[in-house]
Amino acid sequence: MIIFSLKEDSGKNLDTQDASLFLKGGDDLVLLIHGLTGTPREMYYIARALNEKGYSVKIPRLLNHDKSLFALRRTSWQELYAAIREEFLKADSQYKNIFVGGLSFGALLAIKLAHEFPERVKAVNSFSVILFFDGWNAPRIKMFLHPVFATPLKYWFYFKEGYPYGLKNKRLRSRVEAYCENSEWDDYSEAHLYGYPVIPIACMHQNYLLAKHIMRRLGKITVPIQILQAKEDDVTSPKSSKYIYDHIGSKDKQMKFFENSYHIITADQERDKVAETTVSFFDKYK
């Protein structure tokens, strides 16, 4: 559902709990990056699996994801990347090896780190990367996006999260559905658990701009990469992952699709397989 509002939201910040997650392990760090308008919790299952294998894991909350939608919709991808870059640089002198992984928009940020720091990023894991909004649940908004991207209206339109909420797992989906269906567009009461109940079109525009930025640089990226996605991704089709795989300069690259999940593969039906595949890939470069 598309929401248009000229009123400002309350301006209140989100609950500050879970501002970031850190699991202490050995001297190899995995920096995991959650999705746009999401929460570090969507990466927790993968983080725990990595930590059980000896990795230290950090999942920072993306910049302004503890603020109101008014602040978030004015945040550029460059600002979001700068904050993640700062987290990376803080860790650079503290750990022997640094690995990065990201979900959705977070995957683009992870790939951007690999482009800028090829000597320090040991390997990248891409979960459900979004280059194109062309998943099976996206056609209803696809034609709407680009005309609005070109106008200031992008700051006043919001896309309300709807079925299936990126999840095929019925138990998890029911929780998110209850939150989103019962929340007003500016209700952040449980956003620290489930993310924002709406996505500003301005944020989707920033995903589009970062995707274009990354696509122009793929040939120069040489860091080993693993690309994971659900075949039935409701947000973005396998075209995004295939594009990355076909155009990236990395000699060591692999791609795998999962049969029984939707967009948030890090928490969905096959999270065990996704976690195992991630650990196995990073283990090769320790």
Side-chain angles (χ1 to χ4, degrees), residues 14 34-42 61-62 65-66 72 103 161 191-196 198-199 264:
L14 276 63
H34 68 80
L36 198 58
T37 72
T39 167
R41 283 177 174 260
E42 63 197 19
R61 178 180 271 175
L62 286 177
H65 280 59
D66 58 349
L72 186 59
L103 173 67
E161 289 278 12
H192 63 286
L193 296 174
Y194 305 115
Y196 292 84
V198 299
I199 304 173
I264 308 178

Side-chain angles (χ1 to χ4, degrees), residues 217-223 244 247-253:
R217 291 160 175 79
L218 283 173
K220 297 181 180 180
I221 297 173
T222 58
V223 172
I244 298 285
H247 292 85
I248 200 162
S250 306
K251 292 183 179 180
D252 188 349
K253 56 184 178 180

Side-chain angles (χ1 to χ4, degrees), residues 218-241:
L218 283 173
K220 297 181 180 180
I221 297 173
T222 58
V223 172
I225 186 168
Q226 179 172 242
I227 305 160
L228 307 180
Q229 188 179 356
K231 278 189 175 180
E232 296 183 89
D233 193 318
D234 52 308
V235 178
T236 182
S237 78
K239 177 182 175 182
S240 288
S241 288

Side-chain angles (χ1 to χ4, degrees), residues 118-230:
E119 301 301 322
R120 285 298 288 141
V121 174
K122 299 294 291 186
V124 180
N125 212 93
S126 166
F127 306 97
S128 308
V129 65
I130 297 183
L131 297 181
F132 315 104
F133 292 102
D134 61 348
W136 60 263
N137 197 37
R140 59 197 176 100
I141 64 165
K142 184 178 178 181
M143 298 303 295
F144 171 84
L145 290 179
H146 289 282
V148 175
F149 282 171
T151 76
L153 286 173
K154 62 179 173 282
Y155 297 110
W156 304 103
F157 276 103
Y158 302 84
F159 172 62
K160 188 169 178 61
E161 289 278 12
Y163 184 91
Y165 306 95
L167 293 164
K168 198 170 187 178
N169 183 286
K170 293 180 180 179
R171 180 179 60 84
L172 293 174
R173 187 171 65 214
S174 65
R175 295 178 186 176
V176 178
E177 184 173 26
Y179 164 61
C180 290
E181 290 300 312
N182 295 319
S183 299
E184 297 297 328
W185 70 278
D186 56 351
D187 176 9
Y188 315 138
S189 59
E190 296 186 276
H192 63 286
L193 296 174
Y194 305 115
Y196 292 84
V198 299
I199 304 173
I201 298 300
C203 290
M204 300 176 79
H205 183 229
Q206 292 304 312
N207 190 112
Y208 169 79
L209 293 176
L210 178 55
K212 292 295 183 185
H213 175 89
I214 294 295
M215 290 165 74
R216 291 193 294 266
R217 291 160 175 79
L218 283 173
K220 297 181 180 180
I221 297 173
T222 58
V223 172
I225 186 168
Q226 179 172 242
I227 305 160
L228 307 180
Q229 188 179 356

Side-chain angles (χ1 to χ4, degrees), residues 15-42:
D15 191 319
T16 56
Q17 65 177 305
D18 292 337
S20 64
L21 293 171
F22 176 73
L23 301 176
K24 184 175 177 56
D27 56 3
D28 296 316
L29 175 75
V30 180
L31 181 67
L32 293 176
I33 310 169
H34 68 80
L36 198 58
T37 72
T39 167
R41 283 177 174 260
E42 63 197 19

